[in-house]
Amino acid sequence: MNGELELQAYLKKAGVEPAATRVYLKLNKEGPCSALQLAKTTGVSRTQVYRYLEALQAIGLVSAEQLSYGTLFRALPLESLEGLITDKETEAAELRGQLADMSRLLQHLAGSNGPKATVQHFYGIAGLKQANWNLTKANKEYRVFEAAHLHQHLDKTFAKRHRECVLEKQIYSYDLTNAERTTAAELEPFNPAMCELRHIDPQVLHINFEMYIYNHVVTLLDYSKENAMAMEIHHPALHAMMRQLFDAMWQLGTPITVE
């Protein structure tokens, strides 16, 4: 990816259209310009240029100076986005903080505490990430039939954030796997006091499908490209049985020393 495309991809996360990024880049290269000059040098209509300039002004990347002969637009440093980023972080924190209360409010408005057993489906990479993130809601501990480490299924950035959150909440994990060894680098950040891994012979149990067991939830995860999805089953009786099955298999496993 060339530099301009990288910049476009970055600013797109802040809500800036690629064409607006080209206008911003042109202002950085040419210096202060009028909308007419920008329209001529970018090949974008003056009407569109004005729209892009307004959008760039709204997030603090462009300033407008009123002169006797017209308006001069000036590119501001990319660091001007700091305020926008801080606002988004604050909004995300507020959303996260209110999520549990809003969930309870929704149940109240619906006139029910919700059914005893429910099934939720999650599709695609985004769905798999959500199902994994739900695991961070585990009460003190979770169990997993593990086919591979999370970063081998999803991107490393998400896997690291997930492990950080699990450690911050002090959730203990029991990982049962066919792998015979692993390293701390693969599990970074890794706290041996909060994680226990055991190897089980694939002749006893071939783990080719992942399963999470926590709270009253059993989550089945298919990471294959053809059928990427997760199914989250909220069912106390099923959870109790699957936990019992896991614990029986756990006793047949041998501890893995993380290198």
Side-chain angles (χ1 to χ4, degrees):
M1 181 181 291
N2 64 37
E4 183 171 340
L5 290 178
E6 284 189 64
L7 183 63
Q8 287 179 8
Y10 177 77
L11 289 179
K12 188 175 181 180
K13 296 175 183 178
V16 180
E17 297 178 47
T21 298
R22 291 198 296 272
V23 170
Y24 175 64
L25 185 57
K26 181 62 69 173
L27 274 175
N28 274 275
K29 288 181 178 179
E30 305 294 336
C33 296
S34 67
L36 178 59
Q37 289 172 314
L38 285 169
K40 289 180 177 179
T41 56
T42 60
V44 178
S45 72
R46 195 191 307 188
T47 301
Q48 288 291 83
V49 165
Y50 274 119
R51 185 168 71 84
Y52 296 144
L53 287 170
E54 287 178 3
L56 291 165
Q57 284 180 268
I59 61 172
L61 287 181
V62 165
S63 67
E65 183 180 355
Q66 298 294 332
L67 301 174
S68 58
Y69 55 85
T71 304
L72 202 61
F73 296 94
R74 187 187 309 273
L76 298 175
L78 199 59
E79 287 78 8
S80 301
L81 282 178
E82 186 66 37
L84 176 67
I85 294 171
T86 300
D87 287 343
K88 286 184 176 293
E89 290 173 343
T90 301
E91 290 173 4
E94 289 177 352
L95 283 171
R96 189 176 297 111
Q98 295 172 357
L99 184 59
D101 289 340
M102 291 301 103
S103 178
R104 287 190 290 269
L105 177 60
L106 176 61
Q107 290 179 350
H108 173 72
L109 293 173
S112 169
N113 289 325
K116 293 291 184 182
T118 61
V119 178
Q120 297 183 37
H121 294 83
F122 304 86
Y123 296 98
I125 297 300
L128 286 166
K129 286 185 176 182
Q130 182 60 59
N132 272 280
W133 198 257
N134 288 349
L135 189 61
T136 66
K137 302 173 186 175
N139 182 20
K140 296 183 179 179
E141 63 182 27
Y142 66 83
R143 290 159 171 76
V144 52
F145 287 103
E146 183 182 86
H149 294 317
L150 187 57
H151 74 272
Q152 294 171 296
H153 292 307
L154 303 173
D155 60 88
K156 292 183 178 180
T157 300
F158 175 81
K160 183 177 180 181
R161 283 180 54 231
H162 186 276
R163 286 191 289 267
E164 286 173 345
C165 187
V166 167
L167 289 177
E168 286 172 6
K169 294 186 176 183
Q170 296 187 325
I171 302 172
Y172 198 95
S173 65
Y174 298 89
D175 294 27
L176 190 64
T177 175
N178 291 146
E180 297 181 8
R181 61 180 62 86
T182 191
T183 65
E186 291 180 287
L187 302 175
E188 182 185 359
F190 174 66
N191 182 349
M194 297 301 298
C195 179
E196 192 173 346
L197 298 94
R198 289 194 181 185
H199 161 75
I200 188 166
D201 191 323
Q203 295 296 322
V204 177
L205 178 65
H206 182 205
I207 302 175
N208 60 357
F209 199 94
E210 296 217 346
M211 182 187 301
Y212 297 155
I213 304 166
Y214 66 99
N215 300 353
H216 286 159
V217 180
V218 175
T219 304
L220 308 175
L221 303 106
D222 185 349
Y223 288 100
S224 66
K225 292 182 179 179
E226 301 79 13
N227 192 35
M229 66 166 292
M231 182 167 63
E232 196 176 82
I233 307 171
H234 297 245
H235 197 300
L238 176 63
H239 170 269
M241 187 185 77
M242 295 310 299
R243 175 170 171 167
Q244 187 177 13
L245 176 62
F246 180 95
D247 290 348
M249 293 293 100
W250 184 258
Q251 295 302 316
L252 299 177
T254 55
I256 296 175
T257 300
V258 179
E259 302 167 359

mmCIF file of all heavy atoms in Angstrom, residues 137-161:
data_model
loop_
_atom_site.group_PDB
_atom_site.id
_atom_site.type_symbol
_atom_site.label_atom_id
_atom_site.label_comp_id
_atom_site.label_asym_id
_atom_site.label_seq_id
_atom_site.Cartn_x
_atom_site.Cartn_y
_atom_site.Cartn_z
ATOM 1 N N LYS A 137 -16.705 -11.600 29.732
ATOM 2 C CA LYS A 137 -17.736 -11.408 30.753
ATOM 3 C C LYS A 137 -17.811 -12.607 31.707
ATOM 4 O O LYS A 137 -18.681 -12.658 32.570
ATOM 5 C CB LYS A 137 -19.101 -11.198 30.092
ATOM 6 C CG LYS A 137 -19.155 -10.012 29.135
ATOM 7 C CD LYS A 137 -20.483 -9.987 28.391
ATOM 8 C CE LYS A 137 -20.503 -8.888 27.327
ATOM 9 N NZ LYS A 137 -21.748 -8.927 26.523
ATOM 10 N N ALA A 138 -16.910 -13.559 31.506
ATOM 11 C CA ALA A 138 -16.923 -14.757 32.348
ATOM 12 C C ALA A 138 -16.754 -14.384 33.818
ATOM 13 O O ALA A 138 -15.995 -13.483 34.163
ATOM 14 C CB ALA A 138 -15.811 -15.712 31.923
ATOM 15 N N ASN A 139 -17.477 -15.090 34.666
ATOM 16 C CA ASN A 139 -17.408 -14.867 36.104
ATOM 17 C C ASN A 139 -16.259 -15.696 36.695
ATOM 18 O O ASN A 139 -16.398 -16.898 36.909
ATOM 19 C CB ASN A 139 -18.737 -15.255 36.751
ATOM 20 C CG ASN A 139 -18.742 -15.009 38.249
ATOM 21 O OD1 ASN A 139 -17.937 -14.235 38.759
ATOM 22 N ND2 ASN A 139 -19.640 -15.685 38.945
ATOM 23 N N LYS A 140 -15.123 -15.069 36.876
ATOM 24 C CA LYS A 140 -13.929 -15.633 37.517
ATOM 25 C C LYS A 140 -13.142 -16.627 36.665
ATOM 26 O O LYS A 140 -11.919 -16.679 36.750
ATOM 27 C CB LYS A 140 -14.286 -16.286 38.854
ATOM 28 C CG LYS A 140 -14.824 -15.311 39.893
ATOM 29 C CD LYS A 140 -15.080 -16.012 41.213
ATOM 30 C CE LYS A 140 -15.606 -15.025 42.254
ATOM 31 N NZ LYS A 140 -15.885 -15.675 43.546
ATOM 32 N N GLU A 141 -13.824 -17.443 35.816
ATOM 33 C CA GLU A 141 -13.085 -18.464 35.068
ATOM 34 C C GLU A 141 -13.858 -18.891 33.821
ATOM 35 O O GLU A 141 -15.054 -18.656 33.697
ATOM 36 C CB GLU A 141 -12.839 -19.695 35.946
ATOM 37 C CG GLU A 141 -14.119 -20.391 36.396
ATOM 38 C CD GLU A 141 -13.867 -21.578 37.298
ATOM 39 O OE1 GLU A 141 -12.816 -21.600 37.988
ATOM 40 O OE2 GLU A 141 -14.720 -22.494 37.329
ATOM 41 N N TYR A 142 -13.109 -19.512 32.892
ATOM 42 C CA TYR A 142 -13.745 -20.138 31.746
ATOM 43 C C TYR A 142 -12.925 -21.360 31.334
ATOM 44 O O TYR A 142 -11.753 -21.488 31.675
ATOM 45 C CB TYR A 142 -13.921 -19.175 30.572
ATOM 46 C CG TYR A 142 -12.648 -18.692 29.921
ATOM 47 C CD1 TYR A 142 -11.991 -19.464 28.963
ATOM 48 C CD2 TYR A 142 -12.106 -17.448 30.237
ATOM 49 C CE1 TYR A 142 -10.828 -19.006 28.348
ATOM 50 C CE2 TYR A 142 -10.953 -16.991 29.634
ATOM 51 C CZ TYR A 142 -10.313 -17.774 28.689
ATOM 52 O OH TYR A 142 -9.165 -17.339 28.095
ATOM 53 N N ARG A 143 -13.558 -22.254 30.595
ATOM 54 C CA ARG A 143 -12.923 -23.456 30.084
ATOM 55 C C ARG A 143 -13.004 -23.427 28.569
ATOM 56 O O ARG A 143 -14.002 -22.960 28.014
ATOM 57 C CB ARG A 143 -13.610 -24.704 30.641
ATOM 58 C CG ARG A 143 -13.363 -24.927 32.125
ATOM 59 C CD ARG A 143 -14.427 -25.834 32.748
ATOM 60 N NE ARG A 143 -14.078 -26.215 34.114
ATOM 61 C CZ ARG A 143 -14.184 -25.420 35.163
ATOM 62 N NH1 ARG A 143 -14.654 -24.182 35.016
ATOM 63 N NH2 ARG A 143 -13.830 -25.842 36.369
ATOM 64 N N VAL A 144 -11.977 -23.962 27.899
ATOM 65 C CA VAL A 144 -11.986 -23.948 26.444
ATOM 66 C C VAL A 144 -11.376 -25.216 25.869
ATOM 67 O O VAL A 144 -10.293 -25.641 26.279
ATOM 68 C CB VAL A 144 -11.248 -22.692 25.884
ATOM 69 C CG1 VAL A 144 -9.859 -22.552 26.482
ATOM 70 C CG2 VAL A 144 -11.155 -22.746 24.361
ATOM 71 N N PHE A 145 -12.127 -25.861 24.970
ATOM 72 C CA PHE A 145 -11.567 -26.890 24.112
ATOM 73 C C PHE A 145 -10.898 -26.119 22.974
ATOM 74 O O PHE A 145 -11.592 -25.559 22.116
ATOM 75 C CB PHE A 145 -12.657 -27.805 23.559
ATOM 76 C CG PHE A 145 -13.244 -28.747 24.579
ATOM 77 C CD1 PHE A 145 -14.485 -28.501 25.142
ATOM 78 C CD2 PHE A 145 -12.559 -29.895 24.957
ATOM 79 C CE1 PHE A 145 -15.042 -29.379 26.066
ATOM 80 C CE2 PHE A 145 -13.106 -30.779 25.883
ATOM 81 C CZ PHE A 145 -14.347 -30.530 26.444
ATOM 82 N N GLU A 146 -9.574 -26.066 22.953
ATOM 83 C CA GLU A 146 -8.859 -25.157 22.058
ATOM 84 C C GLU A 146 -8.218 -25.894 20.881
ATOM 85 O O GLU A 146 -7.376 -26.774 21.062
ATOM 86 C CB GLU A 146 -7.771 -24.407 22.836
ATOM 87 C CG GLU A 146 -7.026 -23.387 22.009
ATOM 88 C CD GLU A 146 -5.931 -22.693 22.806
ATOM 89 O OE1 GLU A 146 -4.814 -23.253 22.866
ATOM 90 O OE2 GLU A 146 -6.190 -21.625 23.367
ATOM 91 N N ALA A 147 -8.612 -25.485 19.667
ATOM 92 C CA ALA A 147 -8.004 -26.043 18.462
ATOM 93 C C ALA A 147 -6.727 -25.287 18.107
ATOM 94 O O ALA A 147 -5.776 -25.868 17.571
ATOM 95 C CB ALA A 147 -8.988 -25.980 17.297
ATOM 96 N N ALA A 148 -6.699 -23.988 18.393
ATOM 97 C CA ALA A 148 -5.521 -23.157 18.124
ATOM 98 C C ALA A 148 -5.641 -21.885 18.949
ATOM 99 O O ALA A 148 -6.722 -21.533 19.420
ATOM 100 C CB ALA A 148 -5.417 -22.815 16.633
ATOM 101 N N HIS A 149 -4.502 -21.194 19.135
ATOM 102 C CA HIS A 149 -4.519 -19.946 19.881
ATOM 103 C C HIS A 149 -5.344 -18.905 19.118
ATOM 104 O O HIS A 149 -5.459 -18.950 17.886
ATOM 105 C CB HIS A 149 -3.103 -19.420 20.087
ATOM 106 C CG HIS A 149 -2.263 -20.305 20.965
ATOM 107 N ND1 HIS A 149 -2.733 -20.878 22.127
ATOM 108 C CD2 HIS A 149 -0.965 -20.715 20.851
ATOM 109 C CE1 HIS A 149 -1.778 -21.592 22.691
ATOM 110 N NE2 HIS A 149 -0.705 -21.520 21.932
ATOM 111 N N LEU A 150 -5.887 -17.943 19.850
ATOM 112 C CA LEU A 150 -6.785 -16.957 19.259
ATOM 113 C C LEU A 150 -6.129 -16.180 18.126
ATOM 114 O O LEU A 150 -6.771 -15.900 17.105
ATOM 115 C CB LEU A 150 -7.284 -15.986 20.346
ATOM 116 C CG LEU A 150 -8.358 -14.988 19.930
ATOM 117 C CD1 LEU A 150 -9.580 -15.710 19.366
ATOM 118 C CD2 LEU A 150 -8.766 -14.119 21.119
ATOM 119 N N HIS A 151 -4.838 -15.827 18.269
ATOM 120 C CA HIS A 151 -4.176 -15.038 17.219
ATOM 121 C C HIS A 151 -3.991 -15.836 15.933
ATOM 122 O O HIS A 151 -3.726 -15.256 14.874
ATOM 123 C CB HIS A 151 -2.819 -14.509 17.710
ATOM 124 C CG HIS A 151 -1.750 -15.556 17.797
ATOM 125 N ND1 HIS A 151 -1.552 -16.323 18.925
ATOM 126 C CD2 HIS A 151 -0.822 -15.970 16.907
ATOM 127 C CE1 HIS A 151 -0.552 -17.152 18.735
ATOM 128 N NE2 HIS A 151 -0.098 -16.968 17.512
ATOM 129 N N GLN A 152 -4.148 -17.171 16.008
ATOM 130 C CA GLN A 152 -4.063 -17.987 14.801
ATOM 131 C C GLN A 152 -5.404 -18.032 14.065
ATOM 132 O O GLN A 152 -5.448 -18.363 12.877
ATOM 133 C CB GLN A 152 -3.613 -19.404 15.176
ATOM 134 C CG GLN A 152 -2.187 -19.455 15.732
ATOM 135 C CD GLN A 152 -1.834 -20.820 16.288
ATOM 136 O OE1 GLN A 152 -2.417 -21.297 17.261
ATOM 137 N NE2 GLN A 152 -0.882 -21.472 15.652
ATOM 138 N N HIS A 153 -6.458 -17.685 14.778
ATOM 139 C CA HIS A 153 -7.789 -17.623 14.157
ATOM 140 C C HIS A 153 -8.109 -16.205 13.683
ATOM 141 O O HIS A 153 -8.619 -16.010 12.582
ATOM 142 C CB HIS A 153 -8.862 -18.023 15.171
ATOM 143 C CG HIS A 153 -8.823 -19.458 15.576
ATOM 144 N ND1 HIS A 153 -8.837 -20.492 14.675
ATOM 145 C CD2 HIS A 153 -8.793 -20.034 16.818
ATOM 146 C CE1 HIS A 153 -8.821 -21.652 15.326
ATOM 147 N NE2 HIS A 153 -8.788 -21.394 16.627
ATOM 148 N N LEU A 154 -7.829 -15.214 14.552
ATOM 149 C CA LEU A 154 -8.148 -13.816 14.269
ATOM 150 C C LEU A 154 -6.854 -13.005 14.267
ATOM 151 O O LEU A 154 -5.773 -13.553 14.439
ATOM 152 C CB LEU A 154 -9.126 -13.285 15.321
ATOM 153 C CG LEU A 154 -10.440 -14.081 15.441
ATOM 154 C CD1 LEU A 154 -11.260 -13.600 16.616
ATOM 155 C CD2 LEU A 154 -11.251 -13.984 14.152
ATOM 156 N N ASP A 155 -6.936 -11.701 14.071
ATOM 157 C CA ASP A 155 -5.713 -10.896 13.990
ATOM 158 C C ASP A 155 -5.046 -10.753 15.358
ATOM 159 O O ASP A 155 -5.694 -10.826 16.404
ATOM 160 C CB ASP A 155 -6.002 -9.520 13.386
ATOM 161 C CG ASP A 155 -7.006 -8.726 14.217
ATOM 162 O OD1 ASP A 155 -6.577 -8.022 15.146
ATOM 163 O OD2 ASP A 155 -8.208 -8.819 13.929
ATOM 164 N N LYS A 156 -3.730 -10.535 15.332
ATOM 165 C CA LYS A 156 -2.939 -10.490 16.564
ATOM 166 C C LYS A 156 -3.343 -9.322 17.463
ATOM 167 O O LYS A 156 -3.301 -9.438 18.686
ATOM 168 C CB LYS A 156 -1.452 -10.401 16.221
ATOM 169 C CG LYS A 156 -0.901 -11.664 15.578
ATOM 170 C CD LYS A 156 0.595 -11.547 15.320
ATOM 171 C CE LYS A 156 1.136 -12.830 14.715
ATOM 172 N NZ LYS A 156 2.594 -12.748 14.448
ATOM 173 N N THR A 157 -3.720 -8.191 16.862
ATOM 174 C CA THR A 157 -4.108 -7.019 17.659
ATOM 175 C C THR A 157 -5.326 -7.328 18.507
ATOM 176 O O THR A 157 -5.363 -7.022 19.705
ATOM 177 C CB THR A 157 -4.405 -5.815 16.750
ATOM 178 O OG1 THR A 157 -3.225 -5.498 15.992
ATOM 179 C CG2 THR A 157 -4.811 -4.607 17.567
ATOM 180 N N PHE A 158 -6.332 -7.955 17.900
ATOM 181 C CA PHE A 158 -7.537 -8.304 18.651
ATOM 182 C C PHE A 158 -7.213 -9.333 19.725
ATOM 183 O O PHE A 158 -7.683 -9.225 20.867
ATOM 184 C CB PHE A 158 -8.613 -8.862 17.723
ATOM 185 C CG PHE A 158 -9.834 -9.340 18.453
ATOM 186 C CD1 PHE A 158 -10.819 -8.451 18.863
ATOM 187 C CD2 PHE A 158 -10.001 -10.690 18.762
ATOM 188 C CE1 PHE A 158 -11.940 -8.881 19.562
ATOM 189 C CE2 PHE A 158 -11.115 -11.127 19.467
ATOM 190 C CZ PHE A 158 -12.081 -10.220 19.859
ATOM 191 N N ALA A 159 -6.410 -10.339 19.375
ATOM 192 C CA ALA A 159 -6.065 -11.388 20.342
ATOM 193 C C ALA A 159 -5.354 -10.799 21.554
ATOM 194 O O ALA A 159 -5.628 -11.180 22.697
ATOM 195 C CB ALA A 159 -5.186 -12.444 19.672
ATOM 196 N N LYS A 160 -4.466 -9.839 21.320
ATOM 197 C CA LYS A 160 -3.739 -9.222 22.438
ATOM 198 C C LYS A 160 -4.689 -8.420 23.319
ATOM 199 O O LYS A 160 -4.627 -8.497 24.553
ATOM 200 C CB LYS A 160 -2.624 -8.325 21.901
ATOM 201 C CG LYS A 160 -1.764 -7.706 22.994
ATOM 202 C CD LYS A 160 -0.624 -6.883 22.417
ATOM 203 C CE LYS A 160 0.229 -6.278 23.528
ATOM 204 N NZ LYS A 160 1.340 -5.450 22.979
ATOM 205 N N ARG A 161 -5.587 -7.627 22.706
ATOM 206 C CA ARG A 161 -6.561 -6.844 23.472
ATOM 207 C C ARG A 161 -7.452 -7.762 24.304
ATOM 208 O O ARG A 161 -7.790 -7.469 25.453
ATOM 209 C CB ARG A 161 -7.424 -6.005 22.539
ATOM 210 C CG ARG A 161 -6.743 -4.753 21.989
ATOM 211 C CD ARG A 161 -7.670 -3.982 21.077
ATOM 212 N NE ARG A 161 -8.928 -3.677 21.726
ATOM 213 C CZ ARG A 161 -10.134 -3.933 21.214
ATOM 214 N NH1 ARG A 161 -10.231 -4.521 20.040
ATOM 215 N NH2 ARG A 161 -11.229 -3.617 21.851
#
